[in-house]
Amino acid sequence: MSDLIRRLQAAMPAGIKPKFTTPEEWQAWQQEQGRKDSERIAELNRVNRLQKILGRSGIQELHRTCTFQNYNADLPAQRNALDKAKRYASEFGSRFGGFIFSGGCGTGKNHLAAAIGNHLLSKNKSVLVVTVPDLMMRFRETYQDGAKLSEADLMNDLCNVDLLILDDIGVQRGNQREEIVLFQIVDRRLSAKKPVGMLTNLDAEKITALLTERIMDRMRMDGGIWVNFDWPSYRKNVRSGPNKQEE
């Protein structure tokens, strides 16, 4: 082992510092790499299980080619939204604040959220996008006999992905049970310093009335951002191919 390390050191270019200089350091490095690989595999398995239970992938097919580069940003407000989304993605991990994208249908909320998600997926981060109605349906299914997943397991998995994006905030029934579930998700994730993204057609007053100030206060933690998408729908211009833009 010592001879191998010496040969590796001799083969390295001048000025490059090796990761290990002794057999003990090499073994420690191997163990650390093994731990990281095990964690990555466990996270992939968790996300794959969640995607199977929810019946959808982390990024829907319509949005898998969404990037910051193919986002339509003709208006100053659109460029501002693009800049904020790009900054959020590039700084991901330095803080745990989430984001709320608010605006009418077809204004690009899902495109920029997917662009953030696709950027993070390329960095080996786990991302899950789910509509609130779908999510609530899955929670109700955990109460049925023969359920694939318990409520506690579903909650744990949702709270462990690196970025959870909740779509269609405002479409849910607005009952107390849904409020409790959403509060638990947001509270547990932010307590673990894992951010939440939200996409909604509601303005600040209406979303606060729906989600309550308890949730909204947590969404402001650690630099959480709110972006208004207050321009006309772009959906009529959506086409198949790399330059499409969707809600």
Side-chain angles (χ1 to χ4, degrees):
M1 180 63 67
S2 298
D3 290 341
L4 174 60
I5 291 176
R6 282 195 291 270
R7 289 198 298 272
L8 288 173
Q9 290 174 339
M12 286 184 177
I16 301 298
K17 185 178 180 180
K19 292 180 180 294
F20 38 81
T21 57
T22 67
E24 291 76 19
E25 289 180 355
W26 181 82
Q27 290 177 343
W29 180 81
Q30 288 275 55
Q31 291 173 353
E32 177 65 12
Q33 292 301 115
R35 182 188 65 78
K36 290 180 179 179
D37 289 342
S38 295
E39 289 180 351
R40 185 159 49 248
I41 292 170
E43 179 66 12
L44 286 173
N45 288 338
R46 179 187 299 114
V47 173
N48 287 337
R49 183 172 69 251
L50 256 181
Q51 292 174 356
K52 185 176 180 180
I53 293 295
L54 293 170
R56 61 192 294 155
S57 61
I59 304 291
Q60 288 291 76
E61 184 176 355
L62 180 63
H63 302 124
R64 287 177 190 165
T65 58
C66 290
T67 66
F68 299 122
Q69 288 72 33
N70 61 21
Y71 178 74
N72 181 71
D74 295 330
L75 302 174
Q78 291 172 327
R79 291 192 288 274
N80 176 63
L82 175 61
D83 288 343
K84 287 184 176 180
K86 290 171 66 175
R87 189 179 311 117
Y88 186 90
S90 66
E91 295 177 354
F92 189 85
S94 62
R95 61 171 67 100
F96 61 89
F99 62 84
I100 299 176
F101 292 169
S102 168
C105 297
T107 52
K109 301 186 300 295
N110 284 84
H111 185 117
L112 282 186
I116 291 172
N118 288 327
H119 173 84
L120 296 180
L121 288 171
S122 73
K123 304 296 182 183
N124 295 319
K125 300 294 184 181
S126 54
V127 179
L128 184 68
V129 183
V130 61
T131 68
V132 172
D134 281 350
L135 184 60
M136 295 306 167
M137 181 173 63
R138 299 309 175 192
F139 268 102
R140 289 193 293 272
E141 289 177 353
T142 64
Y143 310 142
Q144 300 174 1
D145 293 338
K148 299 178 182 179
L149 204 65
S150 70
E151 180 183 14
D153 288 338
L154 178 55
M155 181 67 73
N156 285 336
D157 284 346
L158 288 167
C159 291
N160 279 318
V161 294
D162 292 317
L163 176 62
L164 174 66
I165 301 176
L166 300 175
D167 192 7
D168 282 344
I169 296 285
V171 179
Q172 67 266 35
R173 299 176 181 179
N175 58 40
Q176 187 178 31
R177 177 58 187 161
E178 290 180 346
E179 178 189 327
I180 291 171
V181 169
L182 288 175
F183 175 78
Q184 288 177 326
I185 292 172
V186 173
D187 184 61
R188 285 184 55 178
R189 284 188 60 82
L190 295 184
S191 294
K193 295 186 176 182
K194 289 182 176 291
V196 178
M198 292 184 177
L199 310 180
T200 183
N201 296 340
L202 303 179
D203 60 22
E205 182 178 353
K206 290 179 180 178
I207 195 174
T208 301
L210 177 68
L211 298 183
T212 75
E213 182 59 32
R214 291 196 309 166
I215 293 178
M216 296 303 292
D217 187 54
R218 282 161 174 76
M219 289 298 295
R220 301 183 192 103
M221 292 174 64
D222 201 31
I225 63 172
W226 178 292
V227 183
N228 283 318
F229 288 63
D230 51 355
W231 46 82
S233 172
Y234 190 82
R235 187 168 286 154
K236 66 181 183 297
N237 299 314
V238 172
R239 299 289 185 274
S240 297
N243 294 317
K244 66 176 180 286
Q245 176 166 312
E246 180 57 83
E247 182 195 357

